[in-house]
Amino acid sequence: MKNRDVVEKIKAALPWAGLAMLLAVFGVAAARVARPAGAVADGRAVIRIAHWQLEAGIRQGIDAAARAYEAMHSDVRIEQILVPERVYPTWLTTRLIGGTAPEIIELVPNYDAARVARFFRPLGAEIDRPNPYNAGTPLEGLAWRNTFSDGLASGYHEELSDYYGVGPFTGSRCLYYNKRLLRELTGAEHPPANYAELEAALARLPEFNARRGTAVAGFAMHRASAMALFNDLLAAQMQRLGTELARGTGLPARQDELYAARLAGRWDFSRPELRAALENLRELSATFPPGFAQLGREDAMLAFVQGRALFLFSGTWDATNLAAQADFPVGVTRSITPGAEHPRFGAGVLGALASEDRSGSPAFSVTRDAAQAERAIDFLRFLTSEPGNRIFSAASGWLPSATGVPGPAGLEDLMVKGEGYPRGPALLGGADTNLVFSRHLARLTSPAGGVDAFLAGFEAESPAAMRGDLARSLKGAAEGVRRDDVAIAAGRVLATLGEGGAAQERRAQSQNEREAAMRALAGELMRGR
């Protein structure tokens, strides 16, 4: 009885202990940021870099690059500020508005454009110049933006028509697998090479579980990863449709063009390949754990490292954590989608994807009011240079962002794959459309549901949702154009004085392209009413 009382007291105290730890981390971060911008400690200028990457490796990678940079610049000290992801957006906004933000900040994806323009420095002029830290390497003499394996797409802000950050690592969605379980299940030492082999492995699980008295799931899954996987599968199987809807570019239509075309009646889910894509989602979801839509990322990670699932769909950012936590050998391969040769799910596919999800990294940006802005930009140059990025990747175990830097052991196959087709447009991404899809997802995945049950709700509600997403997108684009007009006009004046150069030309051209795209989408939106 006494032991039971002790256990109950410990259980009751656990939530408070977790809260205390969270507050302690937040307090340390707040104390470090409270130091005035550009403060000098032990005779050195301090450059603070804030981010939410608490996974194993990132802190060590930045530290290793920082120590190498400090060895070259004895008057500078680099400090990291680690903030939990759950509170990071609130922390970031509070620090920016309060004027206590650090010099370098990892931007939240899709952060408000007006705040980006207000609080962060555009880097358009800097990224057109060569990175001096690439001297003596194959990247010497190249414009800084041309030294990134993703073309610095992760740092470009479309609404603001400029570059607002750079990233030291890249991310790629991938499929982790339990090597021991896979060998026991299939006798194979290697992962599935294509979608048919993936289906074959999953089909063995019911008999495998019955024989062993286990309940191993095909995938360790949670709501967010399921939606990401569904979006990837749909995008792969919408390659042909996306190309049909493109405006003569030869590239798949963008998401907003996909929505506009749906409102104009140019496509719907009556197309056989799209119905097949939904059948694929339904069949695959049967291998997920029950109640996956109510699970979180931690639940999926725990299920995988405990050996309760064969696969984990995640990203390269989890590689170091999984290697440290699992007591079995963990394998990793590219995310697998149906190919054009698949007899049931290949009709909408043009060919193998050039890169399943080469998403880059959230941008590390320099705050506009940073007293040490030039030093901060210089550190980012080193961090993303060939030698600096090599140090970072080796110490962190994360994929590098600089072209030509080798990937960490075990992740080499997840580096950029240049040959292949681009993915199709993403159906899920607009907030309203995503919400409607989520609301009817149970109709698709439940044993009593099906494709027809799902479409009865989704097709009825999605047009209004797509219209709302399009209207919001057009409003944001219009605000961005108006905001940029003043800067472009000023740039043209500077150009007459011999200043500005290529960055101003690129910005003006991008503005023209945005305005043309806006007019086309607005026309589609009106016709779709």
Side-chain angles (χ1 to χ4, degrees), residues 396-431:
S396 67
W398 284 46
L399 294 179
S401 62
T403 299
V405 175
L411 298 181
E412 301 93 341
D413 291 343
L414 300 181
M415 298 290 286
V416 169
K417 184 177 70 172
E419 69 282 357
Y421 290 82
R423 52 185 275 152
L427 176 68
L428 307 179

Side-chain angles (χ1 to χ4, degrees), residues 189-207:
E189 297 287 341
H190 57 79
N194 53 49
Y195 204 74
E197 289 189 13
L198 175 67
E199 291 176 303
L202 294 172
R204 292 172 176 261
L205 273 174
E207 186 276 332

